[in-house]
Amino acid sequence: MAAIEATQGDITALALDAIVNAANESLLGGGGVDGAIHRAAGPGLLEECRTLGGCPTGEARITGGHRLKARHVIHAVGPVWRGGARGEDALLAGCYRASFALAVAHGIRSIAFPAISTGVYRFPRDRACRIAVTETRSFTARSTAVDRIVFCCFDAETLALYRQELGL
Ligand code: AR6
């Protein structure tokens, strides 16, 4: 069974096979964790992202890690929160599922996720945390392809939510 961890810090510092980016449909960068990842990875990441032609909400695309310690970046596009009746839950779950599918396809054995959609996109943090943990447990119950899954929380409140949800 894969180890599922929650930690507080900057995802760009993690030396894992892949880190996940909370991107937008353009895949051409932005603020928040997306901005931090592009700054740390250097201009080669944007160049590679330009070749992808964007990504629909609820899906993900993979690139190299460029100057990051991580070998790959999985760019997942979370939904903007619009009250919860516009398919937001399913779209957010889709980000995690698509990220795991890419991880398996690319032989990624260790991966870190930020709290996708819970910043600029305003998805309620507790609800997003439950979805992230549910999708992760459902993945680890059916696959042993990934050994280590890290929820990288930027602030203490988010970390506390994940710890509670994971029973840590
Ligand atoms: N490491 C880990 N988590 C971080 C970091 C970091 N370095 N920086 C921020 N977070 P957000 P979204 C947390 O806004 O809501 C961008 O402009 C942050 O505290 O980055 O999915 C994109 O281009 C929050 O918990 O992503 C899109 O346009 C979480 O990461 C849009 O924002 C997600 O916050 C996506 O919005």
Side-chain angles (χ1 to χ4, degrees):
M1 200 64 153
I4 306 177
E5 305 161 32
T7 185
Q8 188 179 349
D10 176 3
I11 202 167
T12 67
L14 299 182
L16 298 173
D17 289 347
I19 61 171
V20 176
N21 183 16
N24 60 60
E25 287 190 339
S26 78
L27 299 183
L28 299 180
V33 69
D34 195 4
I37 287 173
H38 275 273
R39 274 193 301 280
L45 179 59
L46 181 58
E47 241 171 75
E48 188 179 357
C49 284
R50 282 194 206 286
T51 68
L52 299 177
C55 174
T57 300
E59 296 185 20
R61 300 288 184 267
I62 190 165
T63 64
H66 298 267
R67 292 180 193 157
L68 290 166
K69 288 177 186 157
R71 282 199 291 118
H72 297 279
V73 179
I74 292 174
H75 306 262
V77 182
V80 176
W81 179 257
R82 293 196 169 91
R86 307 274 193 93
E88 292 95 328
D89 290 348
L91 289 166
L92 185 61
C95 288
Y96 288 91
R97 277 193 219 139
S99 297
F100 285 125
L102 283 170
V104 172
H106 291 266
I108 287 161
R109 304 203 61 94
S110 59
I111 185 168
F113 288 92
I116 300 168
S117 280
T118 67
V120 174
Y121 283 179
R122 301 182 317 275
F123 203 112
R125 277 192 297 190
D126 53 345
R127 187 159 167 158
C129 172
R130 280 198 299 276
I131 291 168
V133 170
T134 300
E135 290 306 322
T136 297
R137 286 198 169 130
S138 143
F139 169 72
T140 59
R142 66 178 185 270
S143 171
T144 54
V146 179
D147 311 307
R148 188 172 173 211
I149 298 157
V150 179
F151 292 111
C152 182
C153 306
F154 208 46
D155 54 82
E157 296 90 78
T158 303
L159 177 63
L161 282 174
Y162 275 92
R163 284 207 169 135
Q164 190 182 4
E165 194 64 30
L166 290 165
L168 297 174

